[in-house]
Amino acid sequence: MNEPKSSKRQGRVTIREVAEDAGVSVAAVSKVLRDAYGVSDTLRDKVRASMGKLNYRPLASARGLRGRTYTLGLIFPDLRNPFFGDVFAGVNTALERTQYQVMQGIGTTIGALAEAMIDRQMDGILLVGPNEAPAYLSELALRKPIVAIGHHDDLTPMPFDTVNNDDQLGARLVVRHLIANGHRKIAMLSLLQEPSTVVRQRELGYRLEMMDQGLGANINVGRATQVARDVQLSVKRMLESADRPDAIFCWTDLMAFEAISVVTEMGLSIPDDVAIVGYDNTMYCDFAQNRLTSVDQSGELLGLQAARLLIERIEGRTEAEHFVVTPRIVARASSRKRG
Amino acid sequence: MNEPKSSKRQGRVTIREVAEDAGVSVAAVSKVLRDAYGVSDTLRDKVRASMGKLNYRPLASARGLRGRTYTLGLIFPDLRNPFFGDVFAGVNTALERTQYQVMQGIGTTIGALAEAMIDRQMDGILLVGPNEAPAYLSELALRKPIVAIGHHDDLTPMPFDTVNNDDQLGARLVVRHLIANGHRKIAMLSLLQEPSTVVRQRELGYRLEMMDQGLGANINVGRATQVARDVQLSVKRMLESADRPDAIFCWTDLMAFEAISVVTEMGLSIPDDVAIVGYDNTMYCDFAQNRLTSVDQSGELLGLQAARLLIERIEGRTEAEHFVVTPRIVARASSRKRG
DNA sequence: CTGAAAGCGCTTACAG
DNA sequence: CTGAAAGCGCTTACAG
């Protein structure tokens, strides 16, 4: 390996130059930077003027060595699910008037990403739909402030903040909606690998509501990985079975769009042959080729709230908070009344 | 603001502890860490053993203060276009066996994101489809290694690396394909705001090929922002105009899916009333409800190559390289032969 | 309210 | 090949 170019930081203004320009100490500039207490208005103005004049920008990694980097990590599992775009929009809104900047890490290896973020001195980490064991998350929370978006408590409340929609209720709403529209043989398409607590809550809600409605005998849960081909096979298997469901509740919109594809391919019609319902109410639901009924869990609100909670934690709060949004069903043609 | 918790780095193993454990100097550990030259096998083995035993992880921000952070920034404009997922997958593949980690910044304010990444000591930055002025990018390249994915040269070759598909050719392929399938009144739906060089190249290819094919009189370019409602209005306007096009080439799949929605909503059929073609060949093209003909520009390959070039740059290469992929058309039902 | 000094965890010349 | 010392750009107690 060659040496890094020495010109790399060439021209970068440091806190020392600001101090010289303003005729104050380095420590004084640092205080102004952090809005720390004990600075006179005169000094602050002088320093601010110099910072502006020299176009000073603090180096986050240097700050991080002693204090904060003002950087938050946001980890989500993949780039193809538009729901994460909603969450991200909310996070950005929360950070608008703050010094904090968010950096994304994307992938299902939450652990590795979280460690990389800790190595990079992120002040806190937002995790979307983590499928890691609660024990790992609890241990992680000991080392760094974290907020989980889409992670339900096991038995005991988690020692870290969580932000959720009521997934169990969301699933119940779907079942009720489908029944109200004349469907009885309601199947659910769920996730096969490493189901997160979110998946499990949705499954539970589906099962409980089916039983409450006296349709326990019709409970039918299929499972597929996120891989397109696997989803296709699962949907096909469901639709070709002896007692074909007249409605499929997919645990996420992304799977529902694939289900729509399979149903269309098979020459069946939606919703007359089979109704489809998703979860997340992403922008693609509105497309006329989908018209997908879905559950809105306010991704943007979840992201906004999560970022706020994380900053509170970084700035000192010690007891965990748990924020829950009530989901609502958004009906579209994919689940219209039968007959 | 409260003080950050002093327990924050509690328990973090430092290079000094590794040195003590291995019975060598701190400098020696640093050399092993960087695979630097001039370390005996014995010393290296001892140090590696201690690092493993103590579960040592270097602190990126401390490294960055003098050397590298082994962190690359990846900036892309939004989270809703699945094409970026392909690019990202390629970047990840390139980084697999390296020490580098990638962090994403998402948004259209490239400048602000790039500055935030420089403040955070990223070793280099990957920019996807930047719509910033070439002058800004050139100035940025002076301060930090960058690679632009989807950015064509203006007049003079850019002083930074670029990775592209041949967008002009891609657009030409679309026009040829549509003509071969019996379409003549081929319109293009392009981007209204701040068109990037990519958009312009696709427009240029479209215009040139239409003229080459003797269809110059049929050139018809509509423009819309990325906002869904605006795309809908533009498509509607096109389809309701006196000389309705019999095919619409959308500059990106995302817009094409919206076009399919509008056409479906209007009760027209695809491709008999109007053919639709997109660009990017994202996974949604395969869905039976879309069956979208599209241009494949190998997003994964672009991402892979871009990451490789960036690392080369960071490690010393000084002359700019420009990598170009030849696009290919992937025909699906949305552009089937007329009549 | 203001500042001099120490230190965060690394890397970098420079001696040996 | 190996190591002691200086230093990267900040923040943090601690004096004054």
Side-chain angles (χ1 to χ4, degrees):
Chain A
M1 289 194 200
N2 302 323
E3 303 304 327
K5 285 179 288 183
S6 65
S7 64
K8 200 166 80 179
R9 221 142 39 221
Q10 188 189 48
R12 178 140 200 143
V13 178
T14 69
I15 199 175
R16 150 166 281 143
E17 296 170 58
V18 174
E20 277 167 15
D21 185 84
V24 300
S25 75
V26 162
V29 177
S30 172
K31 278 187 187 153
V32 173
L33 211 54
R34 287 173 289 127
D35 265 322
Y37 122 107
V39 201
S40 69
D41 289 356
T42 332
L43 188 144
R44 191 186 358 260
D45 290 349
K46 269 195 301 187
V47 171
R48 289 240 166 99
S50 294
M51 294 197 312
K53 185 174 117 194
L54 302 175
N55 194 25
Y56 169 72
R57 296 181 63 97
L59 196 65
S61 41
R63 306 183 81 174
L65 227 40
R66 298 287 298 200
R68 300 191 197 141
T69 56
Y70 295 92
T71 311
L72 308 182
L74 170 58
I75 298 180
F76 45 80
D78 75 274
L79 220 45
R80 272 144 179 145
N81 190 333
F83 172 64
F84 302 130
D86 299 341
V87 174
F88 178 68
V91 171
N92 264 346
T93 304
L95 264 37
E96 248 165 27
R97 305 249 146 248
T98 73
Q99 284 200 69
Y100 291 91
Q101 179 79 27
V102 65
M103 298 277 148
Q104 280 80 222
I106 301 163
T108 45
T109 56
I110 312 286
L113 286 169
E115 295 305 326
M117 288 185 163
I118 290 179
D119 294 344
R120 280 156 187 81
Q121 298 278 90
M122 304 281 176
D123 295 333
I125 303 177
L126 296 163
L127 300 146
V128 184
N131 54 8
E132 289 285 331
Y136 173 77
L137 297 178
S138 298
E139 185 270 334
L140 183 63
L142 254 39
R143 295 188 288 149
K144 193 67 87 177
I146 68 172
V147 176
I149 302 172
H151 186 272
H152 296 277
D153 293 347
D154 231 12
L155 298 168
T156 49
M158 292 288 111
F160 49 85
D161 296 356
T162 62
V163 170
N164 283 296
N165 91 112
D166 185 339
D167 286 292
Q168 199 178 121
L169 175 61
R172 281 179 180 273
L173 292 178
V174 170
V175 172
R176 282 179 215 156
H177 166 84
L178 285 168
I179 290 173
N181 281 273
H183 304 279
R184 290 289 175 275
K185 296 168 71 171
I186 303 168
M188 176 170 180
L189 186 57
S190 185
L191 185 66
L192 180 61
Q193 284 168 323
E194 312 163 27
S196 64
T197 57
V198 166
V199 182
R200 285 200 288 263
Q201 284 294 307
R202 288 183 195 167
E203 262 193 56
L204 187 59
Y206 160 77
R207 288 179 191 277
L208 291 176
E209 189 64 28
M210 287 295 278
M211 300 200 328
D212 287 357
Q213 300 278 349
L215 295 175
N218 290 358
I219 289 176
N220 173 7
V221 178
R223 290 198 179 76
T225 65
Q226 300 273 27
V227 178
R229 177 158 290 283
D230 196 39
V231 177
Q232 287 160 22
L233 287 174
S234 299
V235 175
K236 219 161 184 168
R237 200 176 311 128
M238 269 188 176
L239 292 177
E240 284 169 348
S241 77
D243 51 7
R244 192 171 89 189
D246 55 26
I248 302 178
F249 163 37
C250 301
W251 88 279
T252 194
D253 283 353
L254 201 57
M255 246 184 206
F257 297 134
E258 293 186 349
I260 291 175
S261 178
V262 174
V263 173
T264 307
E265 197 114 275
M266 290 174 77
L268 298 176
S269 94
I270 300 169
D272 292 328
D273 292 319
V274 59
I276 305 286
V277 175
Y279 207 110
D280 288 344
N281 197 33
T282 51
M283 61 173 286
Y284 299 118
C285 292
D286 271 325
F287 287 177
Q289 61 268 45
N290 294 322
R291 299 191 209 275
L292 179 65
T293 296
S294 190
V295 179
D296 194 313
Q297 57 166 319
S298 312
E300 214 169 321
L301 178 58
L302 294 178
L304 178 81
Q305 196 58 26
R308 282 189 185 150
L309 288 176
L310 186 58
I311 292 176
E312 282 178 26
R313 273 283 205 175
I314 292 169
E315 298 189 344
R317 178 165 53 76
T318 52
E319 339 75 69
E321 286 195 13
H322 304 283
F323 179 85
V324 180
V325 164
T326 301
R328 68 193 171 87
I329 197 140
V330 179
R332 295 192 184 82
S334 74
S335 63
R336 252 200 338 254
K337 212 168 206 85
R338 303 206 72 175
Chain B
M1 289 194 202
N2 301 325
E3 304 303 328
K5 287 179 290 184
S6 65
S7 64
K8 200 165 80 179
R9 219 141 41 221
Q10 188 189 46
R12 180 141 198 141
V13 178
T14 69
I15 199 174
R16 150 166 281 143
E17 296 170 59
V18 174
E20 277 166 16
D21 185 84
V24 300
S25 75
V26 162
V29 178
S30 172
K31 278 187 186 151
V32 173
L33 210 56
R34 286 171 291 126
D35 265 322
Y37 121 107
V39 201
S40 69
D41 289 356
T42 332
L43 187 143
R44 192 188 355 261
D45 291 348
K46 269 196 298 187
V47 171
R48 289 240 166 98
S50 295
M51 294 198 310
K53 184 174 116 196
L54 301 175
N55 194 22
Y56 169 72
R57 295 182 63 98
L59 195 66
S61 41
R63 306 183 81 172
L65 226 40
R66 298 286 299 199
R68 300 190 199 142
T69 57
Y70 295 92
T71 312
L72 308 182
L74 169 58
I75 298 179
F76 46 79
D78 75 273
L79 221 42
R80 272 142 179 146
N81 189 334
F83 173 65
F84 301 131
D86 299 340
V87 174
F88 177 68
V91 170
N92 263 346
T93 304
L95 264 37
E96 247 164 28
R97 305 247 145 251
T98 73
Q99 286 200 66
Y100 292 92
Q101 179 79 25
V102 65
M103 297 278 147
Q104 279 81 223
I106 301 165
T108 46
T109 56
I110 312 287
L113 285 168
E115 296 305 327
M117 288 185 162
I118 290 179
D119 294 344
R120 281 156 186 80
Q121 298 278 90
M122 305 279 174
D123 295 332
I125 303 176
L126 296 162
L127 300 146
V128 184
N131 54 7
E132 288 286 329
Y136 172 76
L137 297 177
S138 299
E139 185 268 337
L140 183 63
L142 255 40
R143 295 188 287 149
K144 193 67 85 176
I146 68 171
V147 175
I149 302 172
H151 185 272
H152 295 277
D153 293 345
D154 231 11
L155 298 166
T156 50
M158 292 289 110
F160 49 84
D161 297 355
T162 62
V163 170
N164 283 296
N165 90 113
D166 186 338
D167 286 292
Q168 200 178 121
L169 175 60
R172 281 180 179 273
L173 292 179
V174 170
V175 173
R176 282 178 214 156
H177 166 83
L178 285 168
I179 290 173
N181 282 273
H183 303 278
R184 290 290 174 276
K185 296 168 73 172
I186 303 167
M188 175 171 181
L189 186 57
S190 185
L191 186 66
L192 179 62
Q193 283 168 325
E194 314 163 26
S196 66
T197 57
V198 166
V199 182
R200 285 200 289 262
Q201 284 295 308
R202 289 183 195 168
E203 261 193 57
L204 187 59
Y206 160 78
R207 288 177 191 278
L208 291 176
E209 189 65 28
M210 287 294 278
M211 300 202 325
D212 288 356
Q213 300 277 349
L215 294 175
N218 289 359
I219 289 175
N220 174 7
V221 178
R223 289 196 181 79
T225 65
Q226 301 274 26
V227 178
R229 176 158 291 282
D230 196 39
V231 177
Q232 288 160 20
L233 287 174
S234 299
V235 175
K236 218 161 184 169
R237 200 177 312 127
M238 268 187 176
L239 292 176
E240 283 169 348
S241 78
D243 51 8
R244 190 171 89 189
D246 54 27
I248 302 178
F249 163 38
C250 302
W251 88 278
T252 193
D253 283 353
L254 200 58
M255 246 184 205
F257 297 134
E258 292 186 348
I260 291 175
S261 178
V262 174
V263 173
T264 306
E265 197 113 276
M266 290 175 75
L268 298 177
S269 93
I270 298 170
D272 293 327
D273 293 318
V274 58
I276 304 285
V277 175
Y279 208 110
D280 287 344
N281 196 35
T282 49
M283 60 173 284
Y284 299 117
C285 293
D286 272 325
F287 287 176
Q289 61 269 46
N290 294 321
R291 298 190 210 274
L292 179 65
T293 296
S294 189
V295 179
D296 194 313
Q297 58 165 319
S298 311
E300 214 168 320
L301 178 59
L302 294 178
L304 178 81
Q305 196 59 26
R308 281 188 184 152
L309 288 176
L310 185 57
I311 291 176
E312 282 178 26
R313 275 284 206 174
I314 291 169
E315 297 189 345
R317 177 164 54 75
T318 52
E319 339 75 69
E321 285 195 14
H322 303 283
F323 178 85
V324 180
V325 164
T326 301
R328 68 194 173 86
I329 196 141
V330 178
R332 294 190 185 82
S334 75
S335 63
R336 254 200 336 252
K337 213 168 204 87
R338 303 206 72 175

